Amino acid sequence: MTDTRNTNEEFKAALASCREIFIAKLGDYGPSWRIMRPEAITDQLFIKAKRIRTLQVTGTSAVGEGILPEFIAIVNYGIIGVIQLRLGFADTKDISVERAIELYDEVAAEAMALMIKKNTDYNEAWRGMRVLSYVDLILAKIERTKEIEDHSGHTEVSEGIDANYFDMVNYAVFGIIKLTEDAGCR
């Protein structure tokens, strides 16, 4: 059995970085994302993943921001997506900043628990993958999510929207870890 302690610590550190950004944005905007319907969150995830792919393909950024902030955004929007699925969307900012952070922490802990289970089964396979694969897998998960949304959340045999959001979060965290390890890719 592979020692996953390093992966677990790296995963926690990456999530902590994402949480810092989430809290900073809450300070700027409050939980304004509460008005977003799940489909809008899926589209926001699409924008972020598509931008990473464009940066990977072209190697240039017109706005001067790199790939790492986009992976952080995918983590945060994925967590927001799960929260929105559970609470439903609202017409106003109907929760406090403190409650938003509590919900964020709950979903982040679930994402980590899922990663630990899958990483045990897959025996650290993510380490042998390229960062571009994480992006392509996230884009595939987004397309699956859009299909499920177009079918009012109904699936015959597949996991639901929440499972896809969790997978997007975990792939994005792996991307953050890889980019952080290899400073040349930032």
Side-chain angles (χ1 to χ4, degrees):
M1 177 182 249
T2 302
D3 178 13
T4 58
R5 183 180 33 168
N6 222 12
T7 294
N8 295 351
E9 290 178 22
E10 290 170 323
F11 201 90
K12 281 181 196 172
L15 279 176
S17 296
C18 296
R19 184 181 190 271
E20 286 177 25
I21 298 296
F22 179 79
I23 291 171
K25 291 199 179 234
L26 279 174
D28 289 343
Y29 311 124
S32 57
W33 45 265
R34 285 290 295 131
I35 67 167
M36 295 177 75
R37 291 172 281 181
E39 296 86 352
I41 293 167
T42 301
D43 286 344
Q44 191 65 24
L45 287 160
F46 173 74
I47 290 167
K48 299 300 182 182
K50 191 72 168 169
R51 182 163 187 276
I52 294 171
R53 190 173 190 170
T54 300
L55 292 174
Q56 289 174 328
V57 170
T58 67
T60 60
S61 170
V63 296
E65 293 177 358
I67 292 170
L68 188 59
E70 301 298 350
F71 272 125
I72 291 169
I74 290 170
V75 170
N76 288 341
Y77 276 112
I79 290 172
I80 287 168
V82 174
I83 293 169
Q84 292 296 83
L85 286 173
R86 291 178 179 172
L87 297 183
F89 64 91
D91 290 329
T92 62
K93 296 185 288 186
D94 65 341
I95 60 173
S96 67
V97 167
E98 294 76 19
R99 181 67 180 139
I101 294 168
E102 288 172 13
L103 292 165
Y104 183 96
D105 290 343
E106 289 170 15
V107 174
E110 288 178 55
M112 177 144 184
L114 177 64
M115 179 282 297
I116 290 168
K117 288 178 186 176
K118 287 188 174 187
N119 198 36
T120 299
D121 287 350
Y122 289 100
N123 196 23
E124 297 280 306
W126 71 273
R127 290 197 181 272
M129 296 171 63
R130 297 173 184 98
V131 173
L132 70 86
S133 294
Y134 305 137
V135 177
D136 289 356
L137 287 165
I138 290 167
L139 284 166
K141 294 284 182 180
I142 291 166
E143 288 302 316
R144 291 176 185 177
T145 301
K146 286 181 177 183
E147 284 291 322
I148 296 168
E149 289 168 345
D150 290 347
H151 294 106
S152 302
H154 177 73
T155 60
E156 294 290 328
V157 296
S158 302
E159 296 176 310
I161 295 168
D162 58 341
N164 283 289
Y165 282 156
F166 275 116
D167 285 345
M168 288 180 231
V169 167
N170 287 344
Y171 285 131
V173 171
F174 291 152
I176 292 166
I177 293 169
K178 285 265 190 151
L179 292 174
T180 302
E181 286 175 348
D182 183 4
C185 291
R186 281 193 224 177

